[in-house]
Amino acid sequence: MSDTSPPRRRRSATIKDVARQVGVSAMTVSRVINNKGRFSDATRLAVNEAIEQLGFARNTAARSLALARSVRIGVLYDRPSGAYLSELLIGLIEEANRTGHQIVLQRCDSTGDVAVAISRLLRAGVDGVLIPPPFGDEPDVLARFHAADRPVVTISGRPGHGAVRIDDYAAAQEITRLLIDKGHRRIAFIAGDESQAAARDRQRGYEDACHAAGIGLGPIEAGDFSYRSGIEATERLLTAPFPTALFASNDDMAAAAVTVAHRKGLDVPTELAVVGFDDTRIAITTWPELTTIRQPLADMARAATEILLRAIDQQGQSDEDLILPYTLVERHSA
Amino acid sequence: MSDTSPPRRRRSATIKDVARQVGVSAMTVSRVINNKGRFSDATRLAVNEAIEQLGFARNTAARSLALARSVRIGVLYDRPSGAYLSELLIGLIEEANRTGHQIVLQRCDSTGDVAVAISRLLRAGVDGVLIPPPFGDEPDVLARFHAADRPVVTISGRPGHGAVRIDDYAAAQEITRLLIDKGHRRIAFIAGDESQAAARDRQRGYEDACHAAGIGLGPIEAGDFSYRSGIEATERLLTAPFPTALFASNDDMAAAAVTVAHRKGLDVPTELAVVGFDDTRIAITTWPELTTIRQPLADMARAATEILLRAIDQQGQSDEDLILPYTLVERHSA
DNA sequence: CTGAAAGCGCTTACAG
DNA sequence: CTGAAAGCGCTTACAG
């Protein structure tokens, strides 16, 4: 164990080293680093040069301790299956890391006991918790944290209390309209895990866009956001009368749809147009690359952390419902 | 920004609070917490009770600062595609969190510029770096860190310098033998990303087990560890003369094989036995559940962190090559 | 525009 | 077996 070995490691440059080199006080360096308070341009330049030279990087442990801000942020997550959750989770971690907050990860498989996971988090002394899918839509989970007086911010969860998301409904409408504008009249749909608000919103968006255009709904099959469910759903969907387009509620399922189409000898997009949702990695490792909706995952992670911190400071649950802009990314699958 | 709001948040219990309640010094509490040095049983009991009562949880920022151990550990990872990398990455993060070390995540898509990613890590002041697949097998990457005098520990990478892995070769042999013992004589194989040492080892294990049993090699197809490549490979594999068993180099591809088999009307395992590798989540969300090799991901993450810390302390690259035990998990796909 | 002092919560020698 | 003191690297009032 390293715990018993002598701490001989290279001491990295501290704020004092920088100060000494420049010939100012540590305070001034701190001001420059944090761009806070007043200091001359010359000072700023000199400090920055010394920082570069010494390879100084701020010690976040010291920082968060000094800020008396050792906030402990819990994250209750499912074992990541799809690309979306993995990416979001990593974004969350990077953000907490950047801000120097302590983060306590707690996994709870859908099959596991959520109550146990929650009390673990509580006993770890978390000041608040961040909830990515799929738990963001379980009133029970939220209620438990509230009972313990811990604010919660969900990501892509049910709106109405601290929540960060995109407008899934509008995005789904927009991508459906894209298909309609390209002349499609029979558009199949693969739904996502219906226990999640975002999945239901996407389906509503699809349906309303079809209605608004005066075309009937295409065949609809249930999915659960997994590639596998996408394979199965597409197989049921690709039967006469054939749809000319298919909208899958996420990229994993859209990629699966492309696979099935190819296997049945259908060209994508000429014989079957396919669109997905999320713009995760699979969107560009599939051929053709997927037309999809991009969610600003990094921004969402950042925003959720900020809202949570604010709620913790104010000792109350936030009711902010932050909706970030999505982007329709047109590639070659539709 | 929360940065400007008053720090009104609930102050969580500190070591002093615990000490006061028990009527001892903070030192004693510290000793009990770290189980270090001598203290009476009565003290331990009392301290633990107070900890429980006050909901005390150690502030890792303060701890790592006091330990003068603000080691910065870099992690160079690819955008996670498969379940294995996500799970490993999260394990790594949990471990760094637990030990209170600062961790700097740096993503580099396979398409991205590795050199840029490396210099970012270096400029962030990392003391050493952890490298999960797929970069653990690129001599260039390792060389660059060494040139900068930063120790590196790879996970499932090429052995010979700080490396943590399982014996992929032996594991592959064992699971192949399981198939042989069940009477299979024509066993197909789906290879993984051949730029990775672990993938090559698995293939060698498969081949040697077949040779040792005196049966010929089955058909072999290339894959890249993705579900999609598994679909394609299996489609090429399931042609006459049909194999009766299929060994995929990871679970994602094995799950894909099951999907294709079912679609072709083949029962698994009676008409086609399928085995995977890794024991990631997909192994149990597939039906039938996969027989596979379990890698002790959490232990691997822990061990890699420890080896790296030791190398940093000793200011030199480690040459430890730690091989952790795997487990053959028999479920219902073979 | 800049600095000296105190403190964040913990740990490690050093004393008893 | 237990404690008082000092320090980890940073930041925030408070002074100039």
Side-chain angles (χ1 to χ4, degrees):
Chain A
M1 282 291 302
S2 63
D3 281 348
T4 61
S5 53
R8 246 183 311 156
R9 69 171 57 95
R10 162 202 349 255
R11 195 177 129 287
S12 41
T14 72
I15 209 173
K16 276 191 189 165
D17 298 322
V18 176
R20 192 175 316 124
Q21 165 140 349
V22 179
V24 296
S25 72
M27 272 245 40
T28 301
V29 176
S30 173
R31 285 199 185 92
V32 174
I33 293 171
N34 297 300
N35 194 27
K36 205 175 203 173
R38 331 230 71 213
F39 43 82
S40 69
D41 263 16
T43 305
R44 184 169 49 70
L45 254 30
V47 168
N48 283 331
E49 195 190 318
I51 286 177
E52 179 74 21
Q53 226 170 43
L54 268 43
F56 167 80
R58 190 214 265 131
N59 181 326
T60 63
R63 175 179 162 81
S64 58
L65 181 58
L67 285 169
R69 272 289 183 87
S70 282
V71 186
R72 249 185 288 265
I73 298 179
V75 179
L76 180 65
Y77 69 102
D78 195 358
R79 198 169 164 187
S81 45
Y84 169 80
L85 185 53
S86 301
E87 293 189 18
L88 181 61
L89 200 49
I90 290 168
L92 240 29
I93 292 163
E94 284 177 339
E95 176 60 14
N97 244 294
R98 202 182 57 73
T99 53
H101 296 299
Q102 204 166 320
I103 146 162
V104 181
L105 257 28
Q106 177 63 54
R107 174 150 83 186
C108 178
D109 287 23
S110 345
T111 56
D113 189 338
V114 192
V116 170
I118 294 175
S119 65
R120 283 231 178 91
L121 235 24
L122 257 16
R123 290 202 358 203
V126 299
D127 299 296
V129 9
L130 247 23
I131 308 197
F135 298 111
D137 204 16
E138 298 192 7
D140 265 21
V141 171
L142 305 183
R144 275 176 211 261
F145 285 115
H146 289 164
D149 209 28
R150 296 295 190 290
V152 163
V153 174
T154 65
I155 294 166
S156 298
R158 181 198 297 275
H161 51 256
V164 174
R165 55 196 185 89
I166 60 164
D167 188 341
D168 289 277
Y169 173 71
Q173 275 196 96
E174 186 170 335
I175 204 164
T176 304
R177 262 198 311 268
L178 173 78
L179 258 13
I180 294 170
D181 289 348
K182 287 183 186 266
H184 296 284
R185 290 297 171 266
R186 187 168 171 78
I187 303 172
F189 182 78
I190 305 180
D193 173 2
E194 66 169 19
S195 78
Q196 296 180 35
R200 297 191 300 271
D201 288 344
R202 292 175 195 176
Q203 180 158 357
R204 272 199 310 117
Y206 154 78
E207 292 173 352
D208 289 358
C210 287
H211 289 143
I215 66 173
L217 293 182
I220 297 178
E221 283 286 344
D224 64 7
F225 285 137
S226 74
Y227 189 103
R228 189 161 64 107
S229 74
I231 294 274
E232 289 160 7
T234 307
E235 259 157 6
R236 290 190 298 268
L237 252 17
L238 294 189
T239 50
F242 280 85
T244 63
L246 183 156
F247 173 11
S249 296
N250 77 348
D251 291 341
D252 292 60
M253 299 193 295
V258 171
T259 299
V260 174
H262 281 161
R263 199 170 51 228
K264 301 215 175 201
L266 259 32
D267 181 66
V268 175
T270 60
E271 294 173 290
L272 181 73
V274 174
V275 299
F277 207 105
D278 288 346
D279 197 28
T280 48
R281 170 173 212 174
I282 200 169
I284 53 170
T285 52
T286 291
W287 187 88
E289 298 190 346
L290 299 177
T291 287
T292 186
I293 296 289
R294 173 177 303 154
Q295 301 207 47
L297 291 182
D299 292 339
M300 289 167 76
R302 202 168 305 129
T305 305
E306 274 176 21
I307 294 178
L308 184 63
L309 254 19
R310 220 175 295 138
I312 291 173
D313 279 342
Q314 295 165 199
Q315 311 220 24
Q317 172 59 40
S318 165
D319 58 356
E320 282 184 68
D321 185 16
L322 183 66
I323 298 185
L324 261 28
Y326 60 85
T327 321
L328 173 58
V329 182
E330 279 204 63
R331 284 197 275 248
H332 311 291
S333 66
Chain B
M1 280 293 304
S2 64
D3 280 347
T4 61
S5 53
R8 243 184 312 156
R9 70 171 57 95
R10 163 204 345 258
R11 194 179 130 286
S12 41
T14 73
I15 208 173
K16 275 192 189 165
D17 298 323
V18 176
R20 192 175 316 123
Q21 166 139 347
V22 178
V24 295
S25 72
M27 273 247 37
T28 301
V29 176
S30 172
R31 286 200 184 90
V32 174
I33 293 173
N34 296 300
N35 195 28
K36 204 174 201 173
R38 331 230 70 213
F39 44 82
S40 70
D41 264 18
T43 306
R44 184 171 49 70
L45 255 30
V47 168
N48 283 331
E49 195 189 320
I51 285 176
E52 178 75 22
Q53 226 170 41
L54 267 43
F56 167 79
R58 190 214 265 129
N59 181 327
T60 63
R63 175 179 163 81
S64 57
L65 181 57
L67 285 169
R69 273 290 183 85
S70 283
V71 186
R72 251 186 287 265
I73 298 177
V75 179
L76 180 65
Y77 70 100
D78 194 0
R79 199 168 162 189
S81 46
Y84 169 80
L85 184 54
S86 302
E87 293 188 17
L88 181 61
L89 201 48
I90 289 168
L92 239 29
I93 292 163
E94 283 177 339
E95 177 61 14
N97 244 295
R98 202 182 57 72
T99 54
H101 295 300
Q102 206 166 318
I103 146 166
V104 181
L105 258 26
Q106 177 63 54
R107 174 149 83 186
C108 177
D109 288 22
S110 346
T111 57
D113 189 339
V114 191
V116 170
I118 293 175
S119 66
R120 283 230 178 93
L121 236 22
L122 257 16
R123 291 205 355 205
V126 300
D127 299 295
V129 11
L130 247 23
I131 308 197
F135 299 110
D137 204 14
E138 299 192 5
D140 265 21
V141 172
L142 306 183
R144 274 175 211 262
F145 285 116
H146 289 165
D149 209 29
R150 298 294 192 289
V152 162
V153 174
T154 64
I155 294 167
S156 298
R158 181 197 297 276
H161 51 255
V164 174
R165 55 196 185 89
I166 60 165
D167 187 340
D168 289 276
Y169 173 72
Q173 276 197 95
E174 186 170 335
I175 204 163
T176 305
R177 262 197 311 269
L178 173 78
L179 258 13
I180 295 170
D181 289 348
K182 286 184 187 265
H184 296 285
R185 290 297 171 265
R186 188 171 170 76
I187 303 172
F189 182 78
I190 305 181
D193 173 2
E194 67 168 19
S195 77
Q196 296 180 35
R200 298 190 300 270
D201 288 344
R202 292 176 195 176
Q203 180 159 356
R204 273 199 310 116
Y206 154 77
E207 292 173 352
D208 289 358
C210 288
H211 290 143
I215 65 174
L217 292 182
I220 298 179
E221 284 286 344
D224 64 7
F225 285 138
S226 74
Y227 190 102
R228 189 161 63 107
S229 74
I231 294 274
E232 289 160 7
T234 307
E235 260 157 7
R236 290 190 298 268
L237 251 17
L238 294 188
T239 50
F242 280 85
T244 62
L246 183 157
F247 172 12
S249 296
N250 78 347
D251 291 341
D252 292 61
M253 298 193 295
V258 170
T259 300
V260 174
H262 282 160
R263 199 171 53 228
K264 301 216 174 199
L266 258 32
D267 182 66
V268 175
T270 59
E271 294 173 289
L272 181 72
V274 174
V275 299
F277 207 106
D278 289 344
D279 198 28
T280 48
R281 172 177 209 170
I282 200 170
I284 53 170
T285 52
T286 291
W287 188 89
E289 297 189 347
L290 299 177
T291 287
T292 187
I293 297 288
R294 173 177 304 155
Q295 301 208 48
L297 291 181
D299 292 338
M300 289 166 77
R302 201 169 304 130
T305 306
E306 273 175 22
I307 293 178
L308 184 62
L309 255 16
R310 220 176 295 138
I312 292 173
D313 279 343
Q314 296 164 198
Q315 312 220 24
Q317 173 59 38
S318 165
D319 59 355
E320 283 184 68
D321 184 17
L322 184 65
I323 299 184
L324 262 29
Y326 61 84
T327 321
L328 173 57
V329 183
E330 280 204 63
R331 283 196 276 248
H332 310 291
S333 66

